[in-house]
Amino acid sequence: MKKAASILFAASLTVAGLAACSTGNKEQSSGTDKNGVTTIEFWAAPNPTQQVYWKEVAEEFTKENPKIKVNVSPMKESPTSEASIQSAIAGGSAPTISENINRGFAAQLSESKALVALDELEGWDEVKESRNMTETMNGWEFADGHQYVLPIYSNAMLFGWRLDILKELGYNEPPKTYSEMLDVAEKLKAKYPDKYLWAKADLADPTAWKRWFDFFMLYDAASNGNKFVEGTKFTGEEKAGEQVLGLMDDLRKADALLTRQSKDPFESGLGIFVDVGPWTIPYWAEKFPELKFNETFTLAAPPVPDGMDTENVKTFADTKGLVIYASATKEQQKAAMTFINWVYSNPDNDLKWLEKTSLPPARDDLTTNDTFKAFFDKNPALQPYAAAVPNGIPPMDNSKYNDIQTFIGQHAFNPVVKGEKDPKTGWKDMQKAIEGALK
């Protein structure tokens, strides 16, 4: 996931080229044969578990809906899945539907008219209602007021804490505020001078996608989910941004940050705080069995500035979804919505997804719907992610997000972490660079 994000747009085609082809091939047939069967092409993510899932549900769907055939195939990922989609659009061979789309890439495609606005298709409201995802969808509206992506999963990112070490410092639970976090840092350095609160080389790396897993997790919490960029305007909340940068500056001053490369810093106890996605939990279970949930480690929402609500904390959501392409015929678009409605009207399909991928479905009721109870009883470390789904803030819907996030690192986050700039200067320089890019 992170590898793909780091090389987004590597083979981007021109917007003009996309626009020319996204409106569809006039010679394209309706997609419906003489027997009245409409065929739709579905490109699944280049992930074996997701491909298996979609092939299974497509087969079940066709049994109940013989007039619609869903062909499932994996999207190419060379050089990137994004580049393969752009190439298909330009060549007039785009699928009807594909998954694996984040909001930044969707913004680029929607700007070039390559996507259908889902909210304009019959059945969209029924999908949101039947899947119980109204709250989750709140942050997904694009700057033009439309919805182009239906989120399939939402990894509302959490922070891991070494609970065993926290207890040695007198804390029975993770700190929830900045002042508590700084108190932990002070006690940690006093007891263990060679340990750090946050040991992660990425903190000093300007690569764009890395800001999702440090700056935006903290910023979304401090700003209560501010969008940061809306359309062509920078809307970042200065106070929240300076508070986040101020926290990093204070941790630096306390010698609580380690930005050099180190092997498994959290797992070894060199660092006691780290961003954690749900995909990490099964990895730890296999490679680091000594890490036991609520014994040696625990999971928590991002800390917030003092005085903020610590119960319903926003966080960055690593999330992707599906889109319908404008080159599909009206018959195919209608068939696509029928398929999507069928899949998401039954929570058992989301349970199958969860069991195969461990990626939390983007719905509001994961912790209250009995369909998922047995799964989470068996996988308690994934329960906090399920509870956090409604508080997850997706990536910005701007086609220039790669540049924008690079500027966050270059002009603000990285230099503050290194002690080269104060928080106010860092925020000001970053804002100037972003606003220049948005013109």
Side-chain angles (χ1 to χ4, degrees), residues 159-237:
F159 280 109
W161 287 90
R162 285 297 299 259
L163 187 59
D164 51 351
I165 298 176
L166 282 178
K167 288 182 176 180
E168 292 179 21
L169 303 178
Y171 273 79
N172 290 318
E173 63 178 15
K176 296 180 178 180
T177 65
Y178 287 5
S179 61
E180 290 178 355
M181 195 170 184
L182 292 169
D183 182 62
V184 166
E186 182 181 345
K187 291 177 178 177
L188 177 70
K189 298 304 290 187
K191 188 174 182 67
Y192 299 111
D194 295 331
K195 290 186 181 296
Y196 298 85
L197 189 135
W198 201 350
K200 188 178 182 183
D202 288 358
L203 299 175
D205 187 331
T207 304
W209 62 261
K210 297 185 177 183
R211 299 293 74 80
W212 283 330
F213 306 101
D214 46 42
F215 174 81
F216 273 110
M217 288 182 69
L218 294 170
Y219 177 79
D220 286 336
S223 67
N224 198 31
N226 169 265
K227 285 191 175 181
F228 200 72
V229 170
E230 295 186 60
T232 59
K233 292 184 178 181
F234 173 73
T235 57
E237 189 177 296

Side-chain angles (χ1 to χ4, degrees), residues 276-352:
V276 183
W279 57 83
T280 306
I281 304 304
Y283 167 72
W284 279 349
E286 180 182 353
K287 299 294 184 181
F288 301 93
E290 68 277 10
L291 286 179
K292 299 185 181 301
F293 181 58
N294 282 340
E295 292 182 22
T296 52
F297 83 94
T298 193
L299 300 165
V304 296
D306 293 18
M308 282 191 69
D309 175 23
T310 60
E311 295 304 315
N312 293 297
V313 178
K314 304 296 185 185
T315 185
F316 168 75
D318 174 73
T319 180
K320 289 184 178 180
L322 60 80
V323 299
I324 296 177
Y325 292 91
S327 55
T329 67
K330 295 299 181 184
E331 290 86 350
Q332 289 172 324
Q333 292 175 19
K334 183 178 179 180
M337 281 304 294
T338 300
F339 174 58
I340 292 168
N341 256 309
W342 182 89
V343 172
Y344 293 119
S345 64
N346 186 349
D348 286 340
N349 289 324
D350 270 331
L351 176 61
K352 290 177 186 176

